[in-house]
Amino acid sequence: HVRSVALDPTDARILYIAGNRNTFASNASAQRSRDGGATWENLTRQTPLDGLGRDGGREANWVRVHPRTREPWFATNCYGVWIH
């Protein structure tokens, strides 16, 4: 399920959604669409957590997009705030 939706302030075709499972850790709680919602890209990197890439967006329940930098900010249940 989706708990929060945010639009890019410059390009309304770019959407972000956040939705936690409220159980352990969802594999897809932070997602982005660049085509108005026709397709979605999973931004939640949970495995492997090997330190080689960004991890985060786990259990995201809130998303907003910074009006100047256009960075999405995801607030999560117990993993803090995550910027993609």
Side-chain angles (χ1 to χ4, degrees):
H1 63 276
V2 175
R3 291 185 179 257
S4 182
V5 177
L7 294 173
D8 183 282
T10 306
D11 185 349
R13 293 175 299 170
I14 301 175
L15 306 159
Y16 296 92
I17 59 172
N20 61 354
R21 283 181 45 194
N22 240 4
T23 55
F24 170 62
S26 171
N27 289 325
S29 68
Q31 297 183 41
R32 170 177 53 207
S33 174
R34 296 179 188 202
D35 56 12
T39 60
W40 292 91
E41 172 187 4
N42 183 7
L43 301 177
T44 306
R45 182 171 185 263
Q46 185 169 335
T47 56
L49 294 179
D50 54 14
L52 298 177
R54 285 183 163 180
D55 68 325
R58 296 171 57 191
E59 288 303 279
N61 57 9
W62 177 89
V63 60
R64 294 294 180 266
V65 180
H66 192 284
R68 286 189 298 265
T69 65
R70 300 174 62 197
E71 297 170 320
W73 289 58
F74 292 89
T76 66
N77 279 349
C78 55
Y79 299 99
V81 175
W82 181 69
I83 303 168
H84 181 72

